[in-house]
Amino acid sequence: MSARPALAVIGAGPRGTGLVERLAANAPALYGDRPLDLHLVDPHPPGSGRIWRRDQSPLLWMNSMAEDVTMFTDDTVRQEGPVRKGPALDAWAADVREGRTRCAEAAADPRLRAEIEMLRGRDFPSRRLQGAYLRWVYAHAVAALPPSVTVHEHRAPALRVTGPRDGRQLVHLAGRAAPLAVDLVVLTLGHLDAGPDAEQRALSAFADRHGLVHLPPAFTADSDLSALPAGEPVIVRGLGLAFVDLMVLLTEGRGGRYENGEYVPSGREPVLYAGSRRGVPYRAKIGYGLQGERPPLPRFFGPARAAELRDRPRPPDFRRDIRPHVDKELGYAHYHRLFTAHPERTAADRAAFEEKYAAAEPGSAELRDLIADAVPDPADRLDLDALDRPLDGIRHTSSDALQEAVRAHIAADLSRRNDPGHSEDLAVFLGLLSVYGTLVRLGDTGDEWHGFFSYLASGPPGPRLRQLLALSRAGVVRFLGAGTTVEADEERGVFRAASATLPGERVEARALVEARLPAPAPGRTRSPLLRTLYEDGAAATASGLLAVDPGDGRILDRAGRPHPRRFALGPHTGARTSGAFTRPRTGGPAFGQNDATARAALVLLRRLHPDPGD
Ligand SMILES: Cc1cc2nc3c(=O)[nH]c(=O)nc-3n(C[C@H](O)[C@H](O)[C@H](O)COP(=O)(O)OP(=O)(O)OC[C@H]3O[C@@H](n4cnc5c(N)ncnc54)[C@H](O)[C@@H]3O)c2cc1C
């Protein structure tokens, strides 16, 4: 007699939860009421997982607005399985508020309850609130599974998966002698810690020799920040989202507060000297919704282009073969919106312009001339390089002048990105999302472009940038400028930072914080599970991510062969989507991936355990 059918999902954060939702949606048609043991393995509570767990500072926010976060599919998602409707985060909060949905933990947690009472669609919720939504989604998805499915939660990390290619897989858990024996595994491990690279190891060793503090790249909410003393300078490398978390935890997290837009220090804050390659924080989130015509995207960079690039005899080079198409697509989004919503800033017939735009080669002089003729004011033309590097070529002679200039840049960015008079910015944002979807199909999001995407499309909430401005005025944050470099001075036993924007100026500190997530690298992964998979023959992409089949997420070996019984989804894989939660009605490629993997898993389970009559 064969063992009961069994499936293990390793990692029960949003992605693992999304997979369970898809298993439930597809089971009636593909699996019926056959028995199944579904094992969910995660040391953190299922649903919220590690990032959205309850026991974290309530000061940390989501980087998305409540109305932009859904865990449920709709008819815009390209998937074979059925749509199962469910509330986005804002609608769920309204259901709880108005008594249509019960949320026991909100009832027991006054702070959460108060947040739910106040929450509106365009608010940025706390990570804890998102965690409550995710745990509810998880419970909802489990309840939707056929009664023949038994769910087993294991609150432990998986250490290894062993087993033959064509046989049962054994999932070894910490603290449990007998491994789980399952037919197949799906890894939804999220962002993983990586050990330090050579540069980080050298900086840590330097810090140890001189009694300094060095915090290497990490998930900021998990870092021990107590080693950063009040009033002391701290050099911070990185001005992205990890910086925002760090800034919050070291200011309000240490008792500071905002009064009438100004920061009132507690006296326990260090002084943050913050720099990065760009020298400025990520662009503010756009603060208004789309009115009127939506740019019809994708236009020049969609599935057809992806297929054409993928079928070339040589793999396309991102910069040479892909980027020009990406830029043409973003330009299209920008000018389409300019012509339809702000025609007074154009000087050509729209149809004629669009026809010529379509015919011009990406990146060509012809395209540039066409735009220059049709859009008289250079400020109305899309200049991706200038957007990307606003401090390039700028020099200041004093740190105070630099502080003022960066504050002016942030204030201007905030004001523009909250001004529907520049709705071409919103069109470019939609273009970025669309391009991302195509790049995922292509299996190459280009590391540099991924950074640019995050900078432009995934910046902090406006209120966070207003806080940053106040912290800068209060002298708690000081900007270092673009092209920030950090050196370790053996003689003086300090870290020293310099930047291209402020030649000649140096900042010395006894603490250095790397404000970013660790870059994935197979050789340095801190995940024993992933390490053993690589040792077992799994392949990595050029960016250090786990190589998977973009179709159904099967893990690829170094010969490119999909593993018949091992699947992986999410940010640790080469088929990563933007990593972000899906906005309602935007097609959400991650949903399509979850659906394809869930269906492949159910079909395989059924094949491995045929009914007597099959
Ligand atoms: C700090 C941070 C903030 C973010 N904020 C936003 C945001 O505001 N909006 C947005 O759209 N996106 C945000 N993102 C993007 C993020 O990728 C997604 O929000 C989402 O959490 C990804 O879901 P996931 O399930 O793939 O990964 P995770 O949420 O990381 O979940 C993976 C789970 O796998 C578990 N796991 C890992 N290894 C093992 C193992 N060996 N055994 C068992 N379990 C294991 C972990 O404990 C974890 O619970 C953020 C990301 C980070 C890192």
Side-chain angles (χ1 to χ4, degrees):
M1 192 187 91
S2 69
R4 248 169 87 88
L7 157 64
V9 178
I10 307 180
R15 210 60 201 259
T17 301
L19 182 74
V20 175
E21 191 277 334
R22 287 290 89 199
L23 287 169
N26 284 291
L30 296 183
Y31 199 73
D33 57 1
R34 294 167 183 80
L36 174 66
D37 283 319
L38 174 56
H39 296 274
L40 280 143
V41 183
D42 198 317
H44 295 285
S48 49
R50 174 184 178 200
I51 295 179
W52 310 98
R53 63 183 190 252
R54 193 176 330 181
D55 64 337
Q56 63 179 306
S57 169
L59 295 170
L60 295 173
W61 295 351
M62 284 202 89
N63 204 40
S64 314
M65 289 189 274
E67 67 183 21
D68 286 343
V69 175
T70 188
M71 288 288 290
F72 294 96
T73 56
D74 55 44
D75 57 23
T76 64
V77 177
R78 232 175 295 183
Q79 63 180 10
E80 279 186 55
V83 169
R84 290 275 183 270
K85 287 205 170 69
L89 172 54
D90 61 334
W92 171 80
D95 287 347
V96 173
R97 196 163 52 230
E98 287 152 27
R100 289 186 294 274
T101 290
R102 223 183 99 65
C103 175
E105 64 185 280
D109 180 338
R111 193 161 180 156
L112 207 57
R113 179 81 216 165
E115 193 179 346
I116 289 173
E117 285 300 327
M118 304 291 294
L119 191 81
R120 295 297 174 268
R122 302 190 71 77
D123 290 341
F124 292 89
S126 69
R127 285 200 197 139
R128 293 175 81 243
L129 180 65
Q130 169 67 351
Y133 170 64
L134 288 169
R135 284 187 292 277
W136 178 83
V137 174
Y138 171 75
H140 181 82
V142 166
L145 287 164
S148 56
V149 179
T150 309
V151 173
H152 308 265
E153 290 174 8
H154 305 272
R155 232 24 107 67
L159 301 177
R160 251 176 333 136
V161 175
T162 57
R165 271 182 80 80
D166 52 359
R168 281 213 139 195
Q169 303 295 297
L170 301 177
V171 182
H172 303 258
L173 307 187
R176 185 186 149 115
L180 307 172
V182 296
D183 294 298
L184 61 128
V185 294
V186 185
L187 272 51
T188 42
L189 307 176
H191 298 272
L192 292 168
D193 293 333
D197 60 14
E199 187 206 8
Q200 294 298 321
R201 278 199 303 276
L203 287 168
S204 285
F206 169 77
D208 288 348
R209 277 197 301 283
H210 296 279
L212 311 179
V213 179
H214 171 234
L215 301 184
F219 175 34
T220 316
D222 285 349
S223 296
D224 178 8
L225 304 177
S226 63
L228 303 174
E232 294 279 319
V234 173
I235 295 170
V236 183
R237 225 178 344 190
L239 278 165
L241 300 178
F243 170 78
V244 173
D245 285 0
L246 182 79
M247 161 191 121
V248 170
L249 294 173
L250 289 172
T251 53
E252 278 183 288
R254 289 200 176 175
R257 57 184 207 287
Y258 294 89
E259 258 177 32
N260 303 322
E262 296 307 320
Y263 183 67
V264 184
S266 68
R268 294 196 282 130
E269 307 84 349
V271 182
L272 302 178
Y273 286 86
S276 66
R277 262 179 313 153
R278 293 188 183 89
V280 293
Y282 285 9
R283 299 281 175 168
K285 280 247 151 38
I286 291 179
Y288 53 89
L290 187 74
Q291 303 287 327
E293 201 178 331
R294 206 182 173 83
L297 298 170
R299 175 71 174 83
F300 300 107
F301 192 66
R305 178 69 61 196
E308 184 265 314
L309 285 162
R310 221 181 12 238
D311 293 345
R312 288 188 184 179
R314 272 190 315 140
D317 173 76
F318 193 89
R319 204 176 275 205
R320 190 193 55 217
D321 304 321
I322 301 178
R323 181 72 203 241
H325 295 290
V326 167
D327 291 0
K328 184 170 175 181
E329 184 79 343
L330 297 178
Y332 174 73
H334 175 100
Y335 296 112
H336 176 275
R337 184 71 192 172
L338 204 64
F339 271 96
T340 51
H342 315 290
E344 68 288 355
R345 283 148 55 199
T346 61
D349 173 68
R350 176 180 154 199
F353 173 82
E354 289 205 349
E355 193 179 315
K356 288 187 192 143
Y357 191 94
E361 271 300 301
S364 63
E366 183 196 353
L367 194 59
R368 274 193 300 279
D369 291 347
L370 172 70
I371 292 166
D373 284 347
V375 182
D377 186 347
D380 287 328
R381 299 176 201 153
L382 180 64
D383 184 343
L384 292 169
D385 291 336
L387 266 176
D388 191 14
R389 298 295 162 102
L391 297 186
D392 257 19
I394 295 175
R395 302 281 174 271
H396 288 284
T397 49
S398 78
S399 174
D400 284 347
L402 169 65
Q403 306 313 309
E404 266 179 40
V406 175
R407 281 200 296 269
H409 163 82
I410 298 171
D413 183 57
L414 263 169
S415 134
R416 172 157 175 160
R417 290 175 76 90
N418 283 288
D419 176 4
H422 282 290
S423 65
E424 65 275 20
D425 294 353
L426 178 55
V428 171
F429 170 78
L430 296 172
L432 285 163
L433 297 186
S434 167
V435 162
Y436 211 111
T438 304
L439 291 175
V440 167
R441 281 170 165 264
L442 202 52
D444 183 359
T445 43
D447 277 350
E448 200 177 300
W449 194 83
H450 189 259
F452 175 60
F453 171 86
S454 302
Y455 163 75
L456 204 54
S458 187
R464 286 300 195 211
L465 288 172
R466 287 188 195 95
Q467 291 180 343
L468 175 59
L469 287 174
L471 290 167
S472 167
R473 288 192 297 269
V476 177
V477 171
R478 298 205 48 98
F479 301 106
L480 288 167
T484 300
T485 56
V486 177
E487 56 180 12
D489 184 330
E490 277 299 342
E491 222 160 88
R492 292 173 50 81
V494 289
F495 293 111
R496 187 177 307 112
S499 87
T501 321
L502 203 54
E505 183 99 354
R506 304 278 178 270
V507 171
E508 290 185 349
R510 297 179 56 75
L512 168 66
V513 180
E514 310 283 5
R516 60 180 186 278
L517 286 173
R524 286 187 281 107
T525 177
R526 285 230 169 100
S527 164
L529 171 62
L530 215 49
R531 195 167 47 241
T532 51
L533 278 183
Y534 284 128
E535 284 164 8
D536 213 21
T541 66
S543 321
L545 298 161
L546 187 64
V548 295
D549 183 319
D552 61 11
R554 278 175 215 259
I555 297 176
L556 301 179
D557 69 11
R558 289 195 270 278
R561 281 184 315 167
H563 196 293
R565 287 164 178 253
R566 296 180 185 169
F567 299 75
L569 289 167
H572 64 108
T573 72
R576 63 181 170 184
T577 45
S578 80
F581 288 104
T582 296
R583 308 168 137 219
R585 310 207 54 76
T586 58
F591 287 152
Q593 291 177 336
N594 291 350
D595 188 70
T597 300
R599 292 175 69 85
L602 292 169
V603 168
L604 177 60
L605 284 163
R606 217 179 134 175
R607 186 167 61 70
L608 293 173
H609 298 273
D611 293 337
D614 279 0

